[in-house]
Amino acid sequence: MKRRNLLAGLAGAMVAGCSKVAETEPMASLLHRAEDWHRKAHRALASNTALAPEFSPQDISPYFRGNGTLNPATPAYEAAAANNFADWRLEVRGLVNNPLSLSLDDIRALPQRTQITRHDCVEGWSAIGKWTGPQLGILLDQAYLSDEARYIIFRCADKLGGSDYYESVDLVDAYHPQTIIAHMLNDAPLPIANGAPLRMRIERQLGYKHAKYLTAIEAVAELGAVEGGKGGYWEDRANYAWYAGI
Ligand SMILES: Nc1nc2c(c(=O)[nH]1)N[C@H]1C(S)=C(S)[C@@H](COP(=O)(O)O)O[C@H]1N2
Ligand SMILES: [Mo]
């Protein structure tokens, strides 16, 4: 039942997104093709929605440590933080028919999912936290992925050791119901150490997949042409697995 409701929710969001954008004729026909593709994608992916365990409020860790970058500390990020991230934009671009540029208010106005999950870092620590934000699938539906899109790249505001942090997932994980763009941790805006103002939660995979300081979501056909070609910062450098299933 839970899964059915989630899929119904996604379908509803898709229709809502469509009626907003499909106001002109050429756009409408373009969107109908995309919509057709989406319906097929939803069906194909529906069998891949096994959920990661979710916990109760009393399981939440008293302190959710930060790891990797704890503050991007660039002039642009410092200015954004000083302004409470009021001008932060999240772009949805690449192989999409309707690129988006969303404010935090836009993101907070979407249907929200809250989940209490355990974060597992390869370095040997775990923490349980409560995350809130819209499902990535809702944004991808509003952006109308093109037929060639196979992977979603997450761009971040920080550099680690001089290179941009980035990550990626395939469409199965992109459309997984627990894959959300979190703007809250434990009912409060994300702390800077944990990725303010936006970070990914990809609950069936290890911590390094959960890109923090999210600036853009990019649909691509292949991973080979992106950065080091292996789909993520640590995948490019330390041979970490691209699919980091828990
Ligand atoms: N942009 C960015 N995202 C990142 C990292 C990072 O250094 N930069 N570190 C990753 C790693 S290894 C982990 S375990 C988690 C840590 O999330 P936390 O800081 O909320 O604990 O973020 C992941 N996402
Ligand atoms: Mo990690």
Side-chain angles (χ1 to χ4, degrees), residues 64-70 119-123 125 131 156-158 160 165-167 185 193-195 199 201 206-214 234 240:
F64 201 108
R65 63 170 280 186
N67 199 42
T69 300
L70 301 179
H119 179 101
D120 295 309
C121 173
V122 274
E123 291 167 31
W125 59 273
W131 305 97
C156 306
D158 61 315
L160 205 51
Y165 199 94
Y166 81 105
E167 258 303 334
L185 169 59
N194 302 107
R199 63 101 47 88
R201 295 301 308 169
L206 290 168
Y208 59 89
K209 300 297 292 184
H210 303 226
K212 304 194 287 186
Y213 315 111
L214 194 65
W234 288 113
Y240 281 22

Side-chain angles (χ1 to χ4, degrees), residues 152-160 163-169 208-212 214 216 218 223-237 242:
I152 305 299
I153 309 285
F154 305 112
R155 301 288 188 178
C156 306
D158 61 315
K159 287 186 193 295
L160 205 51
S163 305
D164 292 343
Y165 199 94
Y166 81 105
E167 258 303 334
S168 64
V169 294
Y208 59 89
K209 300 297 292 184
H210 303 226
K212 304 194 287 186
L214 194 65
E218 219 170 277
L223 297 176
V226 180
E227 302 292 332
K230 292 184 180 160
Y233 178 93
W234 288 113
E235 290 88 327
D236 286 343
R237 276 164 191 78
W242 174 74

Side-chain angles (χ1 to χ4, degrees), residues 12-242:
M14 183 178 80
V15 170
C18 189
S19 57
K20 248 182 277 161
V21 218
E23 273 156 14
T24 60
E25 254 322 299
M27 197 57 190
S29 72
L30 178 68
L31 294 186
H32 279 299
R33 275 195 316 153
E35 196 184 334
D36 198 49
W37 184 86
H38 274 280
R39 194 174 52 245
K40 287 182 203 147
H42 280 288
R43 277 200 195 124
L45 301 180
S47 57
N48 292 307
T49 53
L51 295 179
E54 293 193 13
F55 298 81
S56 351
Q58 64 265 24
D59 301 320
I60 293 172
S61 305
Y63 171 68
F64 201 108
R65 63 170 280 186
N67 199 42
T69 300
L70 301 179
N71 187 334
T74 62
Y77 185 86
E78 299 284 17
N83 194 23
N84 220 1
F85 301 106
D87 298 324
W88 194 268
R89 307 299 290 193
L90 176 67
E91 289 190 26
V92 185
R93 64 190 187 207
L95 296 176
V96 297
N97 293 311
N98 181 39
L100 307 173
S101 173
L102 303 171
S103 68
L104 293 185
D105 280 345
D106 294 335
I107 285 166
R108 287 187 284 249
L110 292 167
Q112 306 286 302
R113 189 178 204 279
T114 293
Q115 55 204 30
I116 301 175
T117 54
R118 195 188 63 218
H119 179 101
D120 295 309
C121 173
V122 274
E123 291 167 31
W125 59 273
S126 298
I128 293 178
K130 177 182 184 182
W131 305 97
T132 301
Q135 291 167 318
L136 174 58
I138 291 176
L139 266 70
L140 297 179
D141 282 345
Q142 292 194 351
Y144 291 94
L145 281 184
S146 56
D147 290 357
E148 304 83 50
R150 291 291 174 274
Y151 300 96
I152 305 299
I153 309 285
F154 305 112
R155 301 288 188 178
C156 306
D158 61 315
K159 287 186 193 295
L160 205 51
S163 305
D164 292 343
Y165 199 94
Y166 81 105
E167 258 303 334
S168 64
V169 294
D170 63 17
L171 295 186
V172 173
D173 272 303
Y175 274 97
H176 186 269
Q178 289 168 317
T179 296
I180 66 171
I181 298 159
H183 55 84
M184 297 221 280
L185 169 59
N186 299 336
D187 298 317
L190 276 189
I192 286 177
N194 302 107
L198 299 171
R199 63 101 47 88
M200 292 309 303
R201 295 301 308 169
I202 299 164
E203 302 295 356
R204 297 187 304 179
Q205 297 203 48
L206 290 168
Y208 59 89
K209 300 297 292 184
H210 303 226
K212 304 194 287 186
Y213 315 111
L214 194 65
T215 55
I217 288 166
E218 219 170 277
V220 298
E222 291 170 45
L223 297 176
V226 180
E227 302 292 332
K230 292 184 180 160
Y233 178 93
W234 288 113
E235 290 88 327
D236 286 343
R237 276 164 191 78
N239 243 11
Y240 281 22
W242 174 74

